[in-house]
């Protein structure tokens, strides 16, 4: 499933950004979709996930600040990021086809191209 990301950019701490991930064929009604991020020199880490049944999960450090959702066509998934901090600076990826209960990036089959998020203090 080809996935195309958009959004991202640079903001000051406390600001907001939204990332989008577009697929086709109502892919997000059939797959778990997750967001991962990778900062320079660090491993790729799980951020948030949206299961095909609507359940969501987030890493502890973004709970209450990040929201993952999809639109009614099931072809778009969004990561709304509020109250951003410099620690959120990373390259963000959407991914699909993996395991919602254990969102290890190695279990995800389809990947977006990545979106840079930079948060300045």
């Amino acid at each position: 499933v080809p996935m195309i990301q958009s959004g991202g950019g640079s903001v000051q701490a406390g600001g907001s950004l939204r990332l989008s991930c577009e697929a086709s064929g109502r892919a997000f009604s059939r797959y778990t979709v997750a967001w991962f991020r990778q900062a320079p020199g660090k491993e790729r880490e799980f951020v948030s996930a949206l299961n095909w049944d609507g359940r969501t999960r987030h890493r502890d450090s973004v709970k209450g600040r990040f929201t993952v959702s999809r639109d009614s066509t099931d072809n778009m998934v969004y990561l709304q990021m509020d109250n951003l901090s410099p620690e959120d600076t990373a390259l963000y990826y959407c991914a699909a086809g993996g395991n919602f209960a254990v969102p290890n990036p190695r279990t995800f089959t389809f990947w977006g191209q990545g979106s840079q998020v930079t948060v300045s203090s």
Side-chain angles (χ1 to χ4, degrees):
V1 179
M3 300 198 300
I4 300 173
Q5 292 182 225
S6 58
S10 298
V11 293
Q12 291 189 325
S16 298
L17 287 171
R18 189 176 80 163
L19 303 179
S20 300
C21 184
E22 181 177 7
S24 63
R26 299 191 66 202
F28 300 137
S29 69
R30 296 179 280 121
Y31 293 112
T32 293
V33 59
W35 292 91
F36 296 89
R37 66 187 181 188
Q38 189 165 18
K42 295 187 177 181
E43 292 189 354
R44 192 168 297 188
E45 64 181 18
F46 167 74
V47 177
S48 300
L50 172 64
N51 202 31
W52 58 269
D53 61 1
R55 289 179 292 158
T56 62
R57 61 186 303 167
H58 304 275
R59 70 181 297 107
D60 287 346
S61 63
V62 308
K63 286 180 180 178
R65 301 188 298 120
F66 289 15
T67 304
V68 58
S69 63
R70 66 186 181 216
D71 74 351
S72 59
T73 69
D74 293 322
N75 288 330
M76 294 289 294
V77 168
Y78 306 101
L79 183 67
Q80 177 66 40
M81 304 180 290
D82 298 319
N83 193 22
L84 285 160
S85 72
E87 289 70 33
D88 296 315
T89 295
L91 189 60
Y92 283 69
Y93 297 90
C94 64
N99 190 314
F100 178 77
V102 185
N104 185 311
R106 296 184 182 88
T107 69
F108 284 75
T109 305
F110 309 107
W111 289 84
Q113 79 277 19
S115 298
Q116 180 65 39
V117 171
T118 303
V119 185
S120 58
S121 58

